[in-house]
Amino acid sequence: MAFDARDKEISVDDFVRYVDTGTMGKVLEIKTEDEVDWVLIDKTNLWYKAKLVEILDEKDIKIKITPSGREVDIEELKEKADKLENMQMDSSVAEGGG
């Protein structure tokens, strides 16, 4: 049995988020080595210490699959759009050398 950062039991097919980087994905496998629990996340195909991930509730999952089968992080797209909207154009930033 593996437990997440909040001491909730992790199962295969649970959606989790790596707390250090925010990487989200589905748990493909769980293993224990040297008394440390590890989970394999599908998005990166990397193993993460179980105590460094947190199980996501369905309402927290912000990844959507497009019709082409591509994953899209909705919150990331919103943040990028906000940054572009808040960018100001200024003609005095750079001058030509001529």
Side-chain angles (χ1 to χ4, degrees), residues 62-66 70-75 77:
K62 298 175 177 90
I63 296 176
K64 302 292 181 196
I65 306 297
T66 64
R70 199 173 127 211
E71 286 185 1
V72 177
D73 184 336
I74 302 301
E75 292 302 311
L77 290 177

Side-chain angles (χ1 to χ4, degrees), residues 9-23:
E9 186 177 347
I10 302 172
S11 301
V12 171
D13 292 332
D14 281 344
F15 279 90
V16 297
R17 175 178 35 232
Y18 180 54
V19 295
D20 288 343
T21 63
T23 300

Side-chain angles (χ1 to χ4, degrees), residues 73-98:
D73 184 336
I74 302 301
E75 292 302 311
E76 183 180 331
L77 290 177
K78 286 180 184 177
E79 288 173 15
K80 286 181 182 179
D82 286 343
K83 286 180 184 176
L84 288 174
E85 285 180 10
N86 295 327
M87 187 185 327
Q88 293 180 351
M89 299 300 273
D90 191 347
S91 62
S92 65
V93 174
E95 295 182 19

Side-chain angles (χ1 to χ4, degrees), residues 16-35:
V16 297
R17 175 178 35 232
Y18 180 54
V19 295
D20 288 343
T21 63
T23 300
M24 294 183 289
K26 183 166 51 168
V27 175
L28 298 176
E29 291 182 51
I30 300 172
K31 69 178 180 179
T32 303
E33 286 185 2
D34 299 324
E35 298 182 23

Side-chain angles (χ1 to χ4, degrees), residues 36-47:
V36 177
D37 296 321
W38 297 86
V39 294
L40 178 65
I41 297 179
D42 67 343
K43 185 172 183 177
T44 58
N45 205 34
L46 295 173
W47 290 93

